[in-house]
Amino acid sequence: MTDTPSAPQDADAVRAAAQQVFRDHLDLLAAGRAEEWVELFTEEGVMEFPYAPKGYATRLVGREEMLGHIGNFSKAFRLRMTDVRIHETVDPALVIAELRSEGIALETGRPYDQSYISVVETVDGRISRYVDYWNPLIAMEALGGSADDMVAAFSDA
């Protein structure tokens, strides 16, 4: 008997897994459950923040870096994700979504109402690369008004 190559994964199953891990990401992030959240990523997963201001992380690699950053996020904000709209993609392992958050900055009590576009690559139901497009000016205002306030909110110091 000849070995047969394994059948490619069903595109619908890959798409469903990719979209589910994205939704799980939103739920765990909003709940501040960082230890569970980071497990949604591959070991060497990457997060990128193309619009980050000077001094703020633009790229995080690996679960340890991501955990440090997101652990601080949950200390800075309380929020809920709304208006999630996932766009159909040709690549079933790719998620492109538009969404909003409604929340507050815990230290200042100021509103944190943000719009996002997320580009999320997945492998075997885990996030391998997450590109987060958001407006840092909204975060700065919520955290005190300056880039330094925002950078300080996410520092480990």
Side-chain angles (χ1 to χ4, degrees):
M1 183 176 212
T2 311
D3 286 340
T4 57
S6 60
Q9 284 190 308
D10 176 75
D12 290 338
V14 171
R15 181 171 282 108
Q19 291 180 4
Q20 187 59 55
V21 76
F22 176 73
R23 286 185 182 96
D24 291 346
H25 145 77
L26 296 178
D27 292 343
L28 292 172
L29 180 64
R33 294 164 49 191
E35 291 81 13
E36 293 170 74
W37 172 86
V38 79
E39 293 298 320
L40 299 175
F41 287 80
T42 61
E43 284 288 331
E44 293 302 316
V46 174
M47 285 194 79
E48 297 174 6
F49 307 101
Y51 298 143
K54 184 178 180 179
Y56 188 87
T58 58
R59 189 168 196 264
L60 304 168
V61 179
R63 290 178 178 168
E64 187 175 326
E65 281 186 22
M66 286 188 273
L67 183 59
H69 182 80
I70 292 302
N72 292 330
F73 182 86
S74 66
K75 294 172 189 171
F77 297 107
R78 286 289 175 261
L79 54 84
R80 69 183 186 94
M81 301 302 190
T82 65
D83 303 327
V84 178
R85 183 172 171 216
I86 296 176
H87 296 277
E88 192 74 21
T89 61
V90 174
D91 178 352
L94 177 67
V95 175
I96 297 177
E98 294 176 77
L99 60 140
R100 297 187 42 74
S101 68
E102 297 173 352
I104 62 164
L106 296 174
E107 189 167 314
T108 65
R110 292 180 181 177
Y112 179 68
D113 298 332
Q114 181 70 264
S115 296
Y116 305 86
I117 294 177
S118 299
V119 178
V120 182
E121 298 173 14
T122 67
V123 175
D124 297 328
R126 293 203 186 273
I127 300 169
S128 59
R129 180 172 176 247
Y130 193 114
V131 185
D132 196 16
Y133 295 93
W134 52 279
N135 183 347
L137 297 176
I138 292 170
M140 285 180 217
E141 181 60 31
L143 291 166
S146 74
D148 290 341
D149 293 323
M150 192 175 94
V151 170
F154 288 89
S155 73
D156 288 324

